[in-house]
Amino acid sequence: MHATAPTPPQHPDDGQADSPAWQALLRARQGGDPAALPPGPLTDLFAPILAPIQAPDGCLVLGRLAQTLDGRIATAGGSSQWIGGPGDLLHTHRLRALCDAVLVGAGTVKHDDPRLTTRDCPGPDPVRIILDTSRTLGTEYRVFAEGGPPTLLVCAEDAAERGLPRDRHGAAEVLRAPRAAIGGLDIATLLPKLAARGLRRIFVEGGGLTVSRFLAAGCLDRLHVTVAPVLLGSGIPAFTLPEAARIADGLRFAWGVHRLGEDVLFDIALHRARPAVCAA
Ligand SMILES: Nc1c(N[C@@H]2O[C@H](COP(=O)(O)O)[C@@H](O)[C@H]2O)[nH]c(=O)[nH]c1=O
């Protein structure tokens, strides 16, 4: 007789959108003591996001991507729904519920016209932040419509107004930040502005360029990368950084591994590390 190997858990919360462990996390988010969370896989995964904020800019920033086994987040044409399975989507909605703000780049709005609200689990909607350096987006996207959660469009100080009001973009408020030398906005300058508005836990949901810019700026505390059992062979890459000459130039880190149904989630403690190839 062979001893039966224990089955690895398929999901930190059995794929249930609601549970006592999830409710305890929501209470901790509302000001409860994160140290009093019940022990368990859901707490292991999410408690670090609710931990006291260490960075002097006042923010805790979590980057996130769902990618194929070959590191693609979308087809070349931008189709990305869905790379991950239902457990991965539930995870995204949980991160929205636990963070003060969800942040995406203009490319994600153009390709997906997302809502960025919390719908797959109980919990509040985050404030939505759209980074659109040159203010190229029109106001027709769903995030800029009346009636949704508060939304900020962040653009460069010198971005042209193109006939729109200087401080409103549809229903969104316009916030301005300096440009970064490497392209995009100066994220290190933006974060204290967000903290000053009470937006301290920032969920950078995508896309690849936006998450990469936060990484290059040394502005990510954690990174959640879902890898789905899919090969695309081409398409939009997850991460884009300056070229590394040697393996030793890559960024190494500690990670925890969680199953999300068929997908695997890597929970990476980056602690604001900056890849050597991005050294200032
Ligand atoms: N492709 C992909 C995700 N993509 C994210 O989901 C957004 C759509 O949000 P909404 O319109 O609010 O449902 C999209 O713009 C992008 O930020 N999320 C995931 O959990 N898994 C996935 O495979």
Side-chain angles (χ1 to χ4, degrees):
M1 289 283 285
H2 295 286
T4 312
T7 316
Q10 289 297 296
H11 194 281
D13 199 20
D14 279 338
Q16 298 297 312
D18 202 3
S19 64
W22 176 244
Q23 288 296 330
L25 282 158
L26 285 180
R27 283 194 298 277
R29 181 217 189 283
Q30 297 305 115
D33 180 7
L37 285 165
L42 212 60
T43 296
D44 292 346
L45 184 52
F46 291 115
I49 299 163
L50 300 175
I53 294 175
Q54 308 287 347
D57 57 34
C59 290
L60 188 151
V61 187
L62 179 130
R64 151 114 177 116
L65 290 174
Q67 66 169 58
T68 63
L69 184 61
D70 52 341
R72 309 293 174 164
I73 57 162
T75 64
S79 160
S80 65
Q81 294 177 350
W82 299 103
I83 287 175
D88 171 62
L89 268 181
L90 172 59
H91 184 71
T92 293
H93 283 244
R94 281 179 164 157
L95 290 173
R96 291 177 184 175
L98 291 180
C99 290
D100 300 320
V102 60
L103 181 152
V104 298
T108 296
V109 172
K110 251 180 224 157
H111 282 304
D112 299 347
D113 193 13
R115 279 175 281 176
L116 305 176
T117 50
T118 303
R119 305 186 303 278
D120 285 6
C121 61
D125 288 331
V127 169
R128 302 177 296 188
I129 302 173
I130 315 300
L131 299 193
D132 183 11
T133 310
S134 301
R135 203 174 174 186
T136 55
L137 291 172
T139 55
E140 69 276 20
Y141 297 98
R142 293 195 279 193
V143 285
F144 303 129
E146 297 290 343
T151 305
L152 294 174
L153 177 127
V154 189
C155 64
E157 280 153 348
D158 61 356
E161 274 137 45
R162 298 178 208 283
L164 292 164
R166 183 165 168 82
D167 53 1
R168 301 300 299 179
H169 196 90
E173 178 186 348
V174 175
L175 184 68
R176 289 176 187 265
R179 289 180 189 266
I182 58 162
L185 296 164
D186 183 341
I187 293 158
T189 306
L190 174 62
L191 290 178
K193 287 181 192 254
L194 298 180
R197 291 168 168 253
L199 304 176
R200 299 179 166 278
R201 289 173 214 281
I202 312 290
F203 170 29
V204 183
E205 191 177 303
L209 206 53
T210 299
V211 174
S212 297
R213 282 179 174 160
F214 272 78
L215 180 61
C219 287
L220 289 180
D221 294 279
R222 297 193 90 79
L223 189 53
H224 280 189
V225 178
T226 298
V227 178
V230 187
L231 280 170
L232 266 179
S234 62
I236 298 177
F239 295 95
T240 305
L241 293 173
E243 197 168 310
R246 305 164 304 162
I247 298 297
D249 293 336
L251 181 63
R252 278 193 188 261
F253 37 73
W255 65 19
V257 182
H258 301 258
R259 292 287 300 268
L260 294 178
E262 293 298 306
D263 306 324
V264 178
L265 174 73
F266 295 96
D267 173 20
I268 297 159
L270 274 180
H271 300 305
R272 302 276 179 128
R274 183 177 231 175
V277 289
C278 303

mmCIF file of all heavy atoms in Angstrom, residues 64 66 73 80-84 88-89 92-93 96 104 108 112-117 119 142 205-206, ligand 1:
data_model
loop_
_atom_site.group_PDB
_atom_site.id
_atom_site.type_symbol
_atom_site.label_atom_id
_atom_site.label_comp_id
_atom_site.label_asym_id
_atom_site.label_seq_id
_atom_site.Cartn_x
_atom_site.Cartn_y
_atom_site.Cartn_z
ATOM 1 N N ARG A 64 1.276 44.206 -10.457
ATOM 2 C CA ARG A 64 0.589 42.944 -10.731
ATOM 3 C C ARG A 64 0.494 42.732 -12.228
ATOM 4 O O ARG A 64 0.183 43.677 -12.974
ATOM 5 C CB ARG A 64 -0.810 43.046 -10.130
ATOM 6 C CG ARG A 64 -1.868 42.232 -10.827
ATOM 7 C CD ARG A 64 -2.359 41.160 -9.913
ATOM 8 N NE ARG A 64 -3.425 40.384 -10.480
ATOM 9 C CZ ARG A 64 -3.320 39.093 -10.744
ATOM 10 N NH1 ARG A 64 -2.177 38.455 -10.532
ATOM 11 N NH2 ARG A 64 -4.347 38.433 -11.221
ATOM 12 N N ALA A 66 -0.789 39.397 -15.114
ATOM 13 C CA ALA A 66 -1.160 38.010 -15.415
ATOM 14 C C ALA A 66 -0.520 37.691 -16.758
ATOM 15 O O ALA A 66 -0.804 38.366 -17.750
ATOM 16 C CB ALA A 66 -2.676 37.876 -15.487
ATOM 17 N N ILE A 73 1.570 39.272 -21.911
ATOM 18 C CA ILE A 73 0.359 39.700 -21.195
ATOM 19 C C ILE A 73 -0.809 39.923 -22.145
ATOM 20 O O ILE A 73 -1.918 40.207 -21.702
ATOM 21 C CB ILE A 73 0.599 40.957 -20.345
ATOM 22 C CG1 ILE A 73 1.118 42.118 -21.216
ATOM 23 C CG2 ILE A 73 1.563 40.674 -19.202
ATOM 24 C CD1 ILE A 73 0.962 43.477 -20.564
ATOM 25 N N SER A 80 -6.355 40.362 -24.329
ATOM 26 C CA SER A 80 -5.801 39.797 -23.083
ATOM 27 C C SER A 80 -6.859 39.158 -22.197
ATOM 28 O O SER A 80 -6.559 38.774 -21.066
ATOM 29 C CB SER A 80 -5.108 40.914 -22.291
ATOM 30 O OG SER A 80 -6.071 41.875 -21.882
ATOM 31 N N GLN A 81 -8.089 39.067 -22.683
ATOM 32 C CA GLN A 81 -9.158 38.576 -21.795
ATOM 33 C C GLN A 81 -9.619 37.189 -22.213
ATOM 34 O O GLN A 81 -10.205 37.038 -23.268
ATOM 35 C CB GLN A 81 -10.309 39.554 -21.810
ATOM 36 C CG GLN A 81 -9.869 40.887 -21.169
ATOM 37 C CD GLN A 81 -10.910 41.955 -21.186
ATOM 38 O OE1 GLN A 81 -11.937 41.825 -21.828
ATOM 39 N NE2 GLN A 81 -10.646 43.059 -20.500
ATOM 40 N N TRP A 82 -9.301 36.207 -21.386
ATOM 41 C CA TRP A 82 -8.494 36.346 -20.164
ATOM 42 C C TRP A 82 -7.313 35.393 -20.230
ATOM 43 O O TRP A 82 -7.465 34.278 -20.727
ATOM 44 C CB TRP A 82 -9.317 36.045 -18.909
ATOM 45 C CG TRP A 82 -10.461 36.998 -18.771
ATOM 46 C CD1 TRP A 82 -11.754 36.753 -19.053
ATOM 47 C CD2 TRP A 82 -10.409 38.361 -18.345
ATOM 48 N NE1 TRP A 82 -12.537 37.862 -18.822
ATOM 49 C CE2 TRP A 82 -11.726 38.863 -18.382
ATOM 50 C CE3 TRP A 82 -9.386 39.207 -17.927
ATOM 51 C CZ2 TRP A 82 -12.045 40.171 -18.020
ATOM 52 C CZ3 TRP A 82 -9.721 40.500 -17.575
ATOM 53 C CH2 TRP A 82 -11.037 40.967 -17.613
ATOM 54 N N ILE A 83 -6.184 35.861 -19.709
ATOM 55 C CA ILE A 83 -5.011 34.992 -19.634
ATOM 56 C C ILE A 83 -5.150 34.061 -18.440
ATOM 57 O O ILE A 83 -4.953 32.861 -18.542
ATOM 58 C CB ILE A 83 -3.725 35.852 -19.570
ATOM 59 C CG1 ILE A 83 -3.494 36.448 -20.956
ATOM 60 C CG2 ILE A 83 -2.533 35.018 -19.106
ATOM 61 C CD1 ILE A 83 -2.352 37.417 -21.060
ATOM 62 N N GLY A 84 -5.519 34.619 -17.318
ATOM 63 C CA GLY A 84 -5.712 33.806 -16.116
ATOM 64 C C GLY A 84 -7.128 33.249 -16.067
ATOM 65 O O GLY A 84 -8.016 33.683 -16.799
ATOM 66 N N ASP A 88 -7.715 33.714 -10.773
ATOM 67 C CA ASP A 88 -6.824 34.848 -11.016
ATOM 68 C C ASP A 88 -7.625 36.156 -11.062
ATOM 69 O O ASP A 88 -7.218 37.177 -10.503
ATOM 70 C CB ASP A 88 -6.086 34.593 -12.334
ATOM 71 C CG ASP A 88 -5.291 35.802 -12.791
ATOM 72 O OD1 ASP A 88 -4.381 36.199 -12.060
ATOM 73 O OD2 ASP A 88 -5.599 36.333 -13.872
ATOM 74 N N LEU A 89 -8.783 36.101 -11.696
ATOM 75 C CA LEU A 89 -9.636 37.299 -11.756
ATOM 76 C C LEU A 89 -10.146 37.672 -10.369
ATOM 77 O O LEU A 89 -10.168 38.856 -9.992
ATOM 78 C CB LEU A 89 -10.838 37.037 -12.664
ATOM 79 C CG LEU A 89 -10.656 37.416 -14.116
ATOM 80 C CD1 LEU A 89 -11.936 37.132 -14.894
ATOM 81 C CD2 LEU A 89 -10.306 38.909 -14.236
ATOM 82 N N THR A 92 -7.478 39.507 -8.613
ATOM 83 C CA THR A 92 -7.410 40.920 -9.044
ATOM 84 C C THR A 92 -8.460 41.755 -8.318
ATOM 85 O O THR A 92 -8.169 42.848 -7.822
ATOM 86 C CB THR A 92 -7.611 41.006 -10.569
ATOM 87 O OG1 THR A 92 -6.489 40.396 -11.189
ATOM 88 C CG2 THR A 92 -7.741 42.427 -11.049
ATOM 89 N N HIS A 93 -9.682 41.245 -8.252
ATOM 90 C CA HIS A 93 -10.751 42.015 -7.599
ATOM 91 C C HIS A 93 -10.477 42.148 -6.104
ATOM 92 O O HIS A 93 -10.787 43.173 -5.497
ATOM 93 C CB HIS A 93 -12.111 41.385 -7.892
ATOM 94 C CG HIS A 93 -12.596 41.708 -9.275
ATOM 95 N ND1 HIS A 93 -13.734 42.440 -9.529
ATOM 96 C CD2 HIS A 93 -12.047 41.433 -10.487
ATOM 97 C CE1 HIS A 93 -13.875 42.593 -10.844
ATOM 98 N NE2 HIS A 93 -12.868 41.981 -11.451
ATOM 99 N N ARG A 96 -8.060 44.945 -5.701
ATOM 100 C CA ARG A 96 -8.770 46.230 -5.830
ATOM 101 C C ARG A 96 -9.458 46.572 -4.505
ATOM 102 O O ARG A 96 -9.411 47.718 -4.043
ATOM 103 C CB ARG A 96 -9.814 46.153 -6.956
ATOM 104 C CG ARG A 96 -9.212 46.051 -8.347
ATOM 105 C CD ARG A 96 -10.305 45.900 -9.406
ATOM 106 N NE ARG A 96 -9.739 45.704 -10.744
ATOM 107 C CZ ARG A 96 -10.465 45.454 -11.828
ATOM 108 N NH1 ARG A 96 -11.779 45.368 -11.741
ATOM 109 N NH2 ARG A 96 -9.880 45.296 -12.996
ATOM 110 N N VAL A 104 -3.618 52.165 -13.643
ATOM 111 C CA VAL A 104 -3.237 51.547 -14.918
ATOM 112 C C VAL A 104 -2.703 52.627 -15.862
ATOM 113 O O VAL A 104 -2.957 53.823 -15.669
ATOM 114 C CB VAL A 104 -4.406 50.795 -15.628
ATOM 115 C CG1 VAL A 104 -4.938 49.648 -14.792
ATOM 116 C CG2 VAL A 104 -5.525 51.755 -16.017
ATOM 117 N N THR A 108 -3.628 50.373 -21.370
ATOM 118 C CA THR A 108 -4.631 49.437 -20.831
ATOM 119 C C THR A 108 -6.036 49.993 -21.031
ATOM 120 O O THR A 108 -6.959 49.260 -21.387
ATOM 121 C CB THR A 108 -4.337 49.176 -19.328
ATOM 122 O OG1 THR A 108 -3.075 48.527 -19.240
ATOM 123 C CG2 THR A 108 -5.390 48.310 -18.674
ATOM 124 N N ASP A 112 -8.501 47.851 -23.328
ATOM 125 C CA ASP A 112 -9.502 47.064 -22.590
ATOM 126 C C ASP A 112 -10.748 47.857 -22.207
ATOM 127 O O ASP A 112 -11.747 47.245 -21.824
ATOM 128 C CB ASP A 112 -8.886 46.526 -21.285
ATOM 129 C CG ASP A 112 -7.701 45.604 -21.524
ATOM 130 O OD1 ASP A 112 -7.513 45.176 -22.684
ATOM 131 O OD2 ASP A 112 -6.970 45.318 -20.555
ATOM 132 N N ASP A 113 -10.667 49.186 -22.223
ATOM 133 C CA ASP A 113 -11.756 50.010 -21.691
ATOM 134 C C ASP A 113 -12.279 49.417 -20.371
ATOM 135 O O ASP A 113 -13.476 49.130 -20.233
ATOM 136 C CB ASP A 113 -12.898 50.121 -22.721
ATOM 137 C CG ASP A 113 -13.897 51.216 -22.353
ATOM 138 O OD1 ASP A 113 -13.587 52.034 -21.469
ATOM 139 O OD2 ASP A 113 -15.000 51.222 -22.939
ATOM 140 N N PRO A 114 -11.376 49.234 -19.371
ATOM 141 C CA PRO A 114 -11.784 48.536 -18.148
ATOM 142 C C PRO A 114 -12.639 49.411 -17.241
ATOM 143 O O PRO A 114 -12.670 50.634 -17.384
ATOM 144 C CB PRO A 114 -10.443 48.241 -17.463
ATOM 145 C CG PRO A 114 -9.573 49.381 -17.881
ATOM 146 C CD PRO A 114 -9.996 49.737 -19.296
ATOM 147 N N ARG A 115 -13.303 48.765 -16.283
ATOM 148 C CA ARG A 115 -14.055 49.518 -15.270
ATOM 149 C C ARG A 115 -13.238 49.711 -14.004
ATOM 150 O O ARG A 115 -13.420 50.678 -13.296
ATOM 151 C CB ARG A 115 -15.368 48.780 -14.956
ATOM 152 C CG ARG A 115 -16.432 49.066 -15.988
ATOM 153 C CD ARG A 115 -17.669 48.245 -15.745
ATOM 154 N NE ARG A 115 -17.485 46.875 -16.225
ATOM 155 C CZ ARG A 115 -18.385 45.913 -16.069
ATOM 156 N NH1 ARG A 115 -19.504 46.156 -15.425
ATOM 157 N NH2 ARG A 115 -18.155 44.704 -16.547
ATOM 158 N N LEU A 116 -12.396 48.736 -13.678
ATOM 159 C CA LEU A 116 -11.491 48.810 -12.519
ATOM 160 C C LEU A 116 -12.248 48.944 -11.196
ATOM 161 O O LEU A 116 -11.775 49.583 -10.260
ATOM 162 C CB LEU A 116 -10.481 49.972 -12.684
ATOM 163 C CG LEU A 116 -9.649 49.939 -13.979
ATOM 164 C CD1 LEU A 116 -8.765 51.181 -14.078
ATOM 165 C CD2 LEU A 116 -8.792 48.673 -14.046
ATOM 166 N N THR A 117 -13.445 48.334 -11.137
ATOM 167 C CA THR A 117 -14.233 48.334 -9.907
ATOM 168 C C THR A 117 -14.139 46.952 -9.254
ATOM 169 O O THR A 117 -13.704 45.983 -9.881
ATOM 170 C CB THR A 117 -15.704 48.653 -10.215
ATOM 171 O OG1 THR A 117 -16.144 47.789 -11.280
ATOM 172 C CG2 THR A 117 -15.873 50.099 -10.665
ATOM 173 N N ARG A 119 -15.996 43.862 -8.274
ATOM 174 C CA ARG A 119 -17.279 43.236 -8.584
ATOM 175 C C ARG A 119 -17.322 41.748 -8.237
ATOM 176 O O ARG A 119 -18.396 41.204 -8.012
ATOM 177 C CB ARG A 119 -17.610 43.417 -10.078
ATOM 178 C CG ARG A 119 -17.590 44.857 -10.537
ATOM 179 C CD ARG A 119 -18.046 45.024 -11.969
ATOM 180 N NE ARG A 119 -17.253 44.246 -12.905
ATOM 181 C CZ ARG A 119 -16.065 44.633 -13.394
ATOM 182 N NH1 ARG A 119 -15.528 45.786 -13.018
ATOM 183 N NH2 ARG A 119 -15.421 43.872 -14.255
ATOM 184 N N ARG A 142 -14.850 54.096 -20.193
ATOM 185 C CA ARG A 142 -15.765 53.898 -19.058
ATOM 186 C C ARG A 142 -15.238 54.507 -17.759
ATOM 187 O O ARG A 142 -16.024 54.943 -16.916
ATOM 188 C CB ARG A 142 -16.046 52.401 -18.867
ATOM 189 C CG ARG A 142 -16.827 51.828 -20.031
ATOM 190 C CD ARG A 142 -17.418 50.494 -19.703
ATOM 191 N NE ARG A 142 -16.459 49.410 -19.835
ATOM 192 C CZ ARG A 142 -16.799 48.129 -19.843
ATOM 193 N NH1 ARG A 142 -18.065 47.768 -19.708
ATOM 194 N NH2 ARG A 142 -15.885 47.200 -19.971
ATOM 195 N N GLU A 205 -2.088 47.814 -11.611
ATOM 196 C CA GLU A 205 -2.689 46.626 -12.232
ATOM 197 C C GLU A 205 -2.159 46.363 -13.638
ATOM 198 O O GLU A 205 -2.395 45.311 -14.214
ATOM 199 C CB GLU A 205 -4.216 46.792 -12.229
ATOM 200 C CG GLU A 205 -4.928 45.513 -12.608
ATOM 201 C CD GLU A 205 -6.434 45.598 -12.554
ATOM 202 O OE1 GLU A 205 -6.976 45.933 -11.497
ATOM 203 O OE2 GLU A 205 -7.061 45.326 -13.591
ATOM 204 N N GLY A 206 -1.475 47.315 -14.232
ATOM 205 C CA GLY A 206 -0.941 47.083 -15.567
ATOM 206 C C GLY A 206 -0.920 48.365 -16.361
ATOM 207 O O GLY A 206 -1.210 49.428 -15.811
HETATM 208 N N1 LIG B 1 -5.838 40.061 -18.585
HETATM 209 C C1 LIG B 1 -6.064 39.888 -17.256
HETATM 210 C C2 LIG B 1 -6.366 40.992 -16.402
HETATM 211 N N2 LIG B 1 -6.403 42.239 -16.914
HETATM 212 C C3 LIG B 1 -6.861 43.422 -16.155
HETATM 213 O O1 LIG B 1 -8.259 43.447 -15.999
HETATM 214 C C4 LIG B 1 -8.785 44.693 -16.503
HETATM 215 C C5 LIG B 1 -10.253 44.587 -16.887
HETATM 216 O O2 LIG B 1 -10.959 45.009 -15.761
HETATM 217 P P1 LIG B 1 -12.561 45.188 -15.680
HETATM 218 O O3 LIG B 1 -13.022 45.826 -16.926
HETATM 219 O O4 LIG B 1 -12.774 46.025 -14.462
HETATM 220 O O5 LIG B 1 -13.108 43.799 -15.524
HETATM 221 C C6 LIG B 1 -7.836 44.995 -17.626
HETATM 222 O O6 LIG B 1 -7.885 46.296 -18.056
HETATM 223 C C7 LIG B 1 -6.506 44.664 -16.963
HETATM 224 O O7 LIG B 1 -6.094 45.667 -16.050
HETATM 225 N N3 LIG B 1 -6.609 40.745 -15.088
HETATM 226 C C8 LIG B 1 -6.572 39.483 -14.581
HETATM 227 O O8 LIG B 1 -6.806 39.301 -13.380
HETATM 228 N N4 LIG B 1 -6.311 38.429 -15.386
HETATM 229 C C9 LIG B 1 -6.063 38.570 -16.697
HETATM 230 O O9 LIG B 1 -5.840 37.568 -17.390
#
